[in-house]
Amino acid sequence: MKKIMMIAAMMVATVSANAQFEPGTFSLQPKLGGTVSWLSNMPKVRTDHTDLDKSPVAGFTIGGEAEYQIAKAFSLAAGVNYSMQGSGWADYEEKIGDVKYELKDSKIELGYINIPIVANIYLFKGFAIKSGVQFGFLTSANEKLNFKISDGNSSSNTDVDESIKDQCEKFDISIPIGVSYQVPTVPVVIDGRFNLGLKKVNKHELDKNYKNMVVQVTVGYKFKL
């Protein structure tokens, strides 16, 4: 038992040592996480009876990042990830007489392949602030909603899932701003970013500028090359 504990302690010590960043080293970091996003300047949806407030939508992101440690307190990183983004509206429910109207899951879903390039400034061991530029390439764009009408005796249900990719710009630019923290004992990195969209998403409505706003949190496993 003592030998097993000693081996485990040595493994933890080795991982901890490898987890420390050193000038002149390259590292890779596969990462997985979630997103909360919305489109700026999106209007409310107006129905016959009410206006639907805007609502952020939850998604996911998966990818990886390569980092080069230039100095003890400074590094450059570039990555690639798939990110599910978009914007939504609040659910609506109203009863007029015996007829009940329900509108649910009304949202726009946007899929992007993103390439972030960021500079990391390490304020202390393992903790960095970061910013840079991110290039996005649209892979999918869909408008979704569920509309239901019922009167107690019968009901009709309509699900809409339509592609609107031809209405969206294929290229996106944003500024990622965030922080990250590498756990001292294991090479696990928790990364939080806000991606501020600079380029409008919509293609045809020239007088409106809908831009991506994305809060992204990921957990990655960082190892040296």
Side-chain angles (χ1 to χ4, degrees):
M1 179 63 70
K2 289 183 178 179
K3 290 183 178 180
I4 294 175
M5 292 178 65
M6 289 177 62
I7 293 172
M10 291 174 63
M11 291 175 64
V12 171
T14 301
V15 169
S16 178
N18 289 338
Q20 308 305 317
F21 47 87
E22 299 172 359
T25 59
F26 281 97
S27 63
L28 287 179
Q29 184 189 155
K31 53 174 60 180
L32 175 68
T35 61
V36 176
S37 59
W38 63 95
L39 294 174
S40 66
N41 304 316
M42 283 289 287
K44 296 180 178 181
V45 172
R46 175 160 293 177
T47 70
D48 292 338
H49 307 286
T50 189
D51 290 342
L52 305 184
D53 289 328
K54 294 180 292 183
S55 175
V57 298
F60 71 92
T61 181
I62 184 172
E65 192 170 81
E67 182 177 357
Y68 178 66
Q69 198 71 35
I70 297 175
K72 188 174 181 180
F74 182 74
S75 72
L76 291 176
V80 60
N81 64 72
Y82 174 77
S83 180
M84 201 68 202
Q85 302 168 193
S87 196
W89 291 270
D91 291 345
Y92 165 69
E93 182 177 316
E94 183 176 12
K95 191 171 184 179
I96 302 176
D98 295 330
V99 181
K100 184 178 181 181
Y101 301 88
E102 296 176 84
L103 181 62
K104 296 182 178 181
D105 300 324
S106 179
K107 59 187 175 181
I108 293 173
E109 288 187 345
L110 304 172
Y112 284 93
I113 297 294
N114 289 322
I115 301 176
I117 301 172
V118 298
N120 299 294
I121 299 175
Y122 286 88
L123 301 183
F124 55 85
K125 203 74 167 178
F127 181 83
I129 58 174
K130 60 191 64 197
S131 186
V133 63
Q134 177 173 276
F135 305 103
F137 301 90
L138 185 71
T139 61
S140 63
N142 293 281
E143 186 173 13
K144 298 183 177 183
L145 62 86
N146 175 264
F147 183 59
K148 183 178 180 181
I149 303 176
S150 57
D151 61 6
N153 297 318
S154 62
S155 65
S156 63
N157 194 73
T158 303
D159 285 304
V160 175
D161 187 351
E162 297 179 347
S163 174
I164 57 170
K165 190 175 180 180
D166 60 342
Q167 303 175 37
C168 301
E169 296 287 351
K170 304 301 185 290
F171 180 65
D172 185 53
I173 302 176
S174 61
I175 297 178
I177 304 168
V179 298
S180 65
Y181 179 67
Q182 183 173 330
V183 179
T185 55
V186 290
V188 172
V189 179
I190 301 170
D191 188 301
R193 302 181 189 184
F194 174 64
N195 297 323
L196 174 66
L198 300 180
K199 192 173 185 295
K200 70 175 187 175
V201 173
N202 54 300
K203 182 186 294 184
H204 301 302
E205 296 175 286
L206 301 179
D207 60 330
K208 299 176 182 178
N209 294 305
Y210 308 147
K211 298 177 181 178
N212 283 303
M213 302 289 158
V214 184
V215 176
Q216 172 186 306
V217 177
T218 60
V219 177
Y221 186 87
K222 184 176 180 180
F223 57 94
K224 293 180 182 178
L225 294 180

